[in-house]
Amino acid sequence: MAFSISEFNSKIGQHGLAKSNLFFARVNIPRALRDELGAIPVSRDLEFFCRSVQLPEMELGTADIQQQGFGAITRRPQSMSFPVLPATFMMDSNFGVLKFYHRWMQAVVNYDRSGGNYGSVNNALPFEMGYKSEYASTMDVAVFSQNTNKVEYVYSFSGLYPVSVGNMSVAWENSAEVMALPVGFTYDELKVTGSQQGKVQSNKPPLGTLLKWFSRINSFTNSIQSIQNPTNIQDSINNIQNISNMFD
């Protein structure tokens, strides 16, 4: 089939193209920092300072399989991992954005020792870890459509918290450049607009194949234990019967 320029232009005009700059990222405040909103003035406006987000790829961990023990290697899915989510935030003139992420990191692990080895911050001693229920939060990255002027696709992250804050550069020759703060997030769950939500089919959990397998192993073990050194003809008949039951 020959390529048609007119058909190509027609399809592009019909569906349009997504623009990479039509987005916003909304970071929800973790529980550990909600009492400090007055001390962190830009915390509610973080979505306006987010300059870029690298939406994560969906990557499967695979295992190499040789079906006959030799020959070509094929891959089978084994696991799924969520990579670190990189985002870049513009710095406000009062450094509220930087203060917010430094305090969030401190809620994860208290890295400050200025108060001594026993100087605690929110009941956490230096280099003591916080509770995840306190520092984990959520983040939504929404992408707009130029054709419809509305949100068309959303990436939702939960169990989210920063694992890296910084590395920034300052220099005399960059007088007109806005300072940028790179932040790397980790997260536990990812939901996108294109995925389907699971539904519970029954209130009673079914007996899965794994439980059935354990039940069979238990019966197999009991049968082995019932086998004994025969002392007479009847013992031999009983052993044969027990072995037969193992493979029923």
Side-chain angles (χ1 to χ4, degrees):
M1 178 174 144
F3 179 77
S4 172
I5 295 294
S6 60
E7 185 178 2
F8 174 80
N9 291 333
S10 174
K11 292 300 180 183
I12 295 298
Q14 176 184 355
H15 299 286
L17 295 174
K19 305 291 186 180
S20 61
N21 62 336
L22 299 178
F23 83 100
F24 71 86
R26 179 173 294 139
V27 180
N28 295 309
I29 309 302
R31 184 184 304 175
L33 301 184
R34 290 175 186 172
D35 295 335
E36 303 184 26
L37 294 182
I40 309 175
V42 300
S43 58
R44 294 185 182 272
D45 305 324
L46 283 173
E47 62 187 77
F48 299 102
F49 289 91
C50 184
R51 189 169 72 181
S52 65
V53 180
Q54 186 173 340
L55 297 175
E57 62 182 358
M58 291 190 177
E59 181 180 6
L60 290 175
T62 59
D64 293 341
I65 302 295
Q66 289 178 300
Q67 295 183 355
Q68 297 174 325
F70 60 90
I73 293 177
T74 59
R75 295 178 177 84
R76 297 291 184 271
Q78 188 179 49
S79 62
M80 188 171 187
S81 60
F82 294 143
V84 172
L85 175 66
T88 302
F89 294 85
M90 295 180 293
M91 195 76 67
D92 63 296
S93 60
N94 296 321
F95 293 90
V97 173
L98 183 62
K99 183 177 181 180
F100 171 78
Y101 282 107
H102 280 173
R103 282 293 296 113
W104 194 352
M105 184 69 79
Q106 193 173 20
V108 179
V109 53
N110 180 21
Y111 53 81
D112 185 81
R113 295 183 61 186
S114 58
N117 292 332
Y118 298 100
S120 64
V121 176
N122 294 333
N123 298 321
L125 294 174
F127 300 103
E128 185 177 359
M129 303 292 176
Y131 290 98
K132 189 175 181 180
S133 59
E134 295 291 325
Y135 62 72
S137 187
T138 60
M139 178 178 180
D140 296 322
V141 181
V143 182
F144 289 87
S145 170
Q146 190 175 24
N147 284 1
T148 60
N149 293 322
K150 65 179 183 179
V151 173
E152 291 290 346
Y153 218 87
V154 179
Y155 281 68
S156 298
F157 307 90
S158 58
L160 175 134
Y161 59 92
V163 292
S164 62
V165 177
N167 166 6
M168 298 178 296
S169 298
V170 292
W172 287 107
E173 62 267 19
N174 295 334
S175 58
E177 185 175 348
V178 177
M179 290 185 65
L181 175 67
V183 180
F185 296 97
T186 187
Y187 49 94
D188 296 336
E189 297 181 9
L190 168 63
K191 180 182 177 182
V192 296
T193 301
S195 64
Q196 292 183 339
Q197 184 175 359
K199 296 181 180 180
V200 179
Q201 301 296 329
S202 173
N203 294 329
K204 298 179 180 180
L207 181 64
T209 55
L210 184 61
L211 294 180
K212 293 179 180 178
W213 182 79
F214 278 125
S215 177
R216 187 173 180 85
I217 289 296
N218 183 57
S219 300
F220 191 82
T221 303
N222 292 335
S223 297
I224 291 178
Q225 292 175 350
S226 64
I227 298 175
Q228 56 186 354
N229 186 26
T231 58
N232 51 51
I233 295 178
Q234 185 61 47
D235 286 345
S236 299
I237 295 175
N238 292 337
N239 285 343
I240 294 174
Q241 183 64 41
N242 288 332
I243 294 174
S244 177
N245 292 335
M246 290 167 57
F247 299 97
D248 287 343

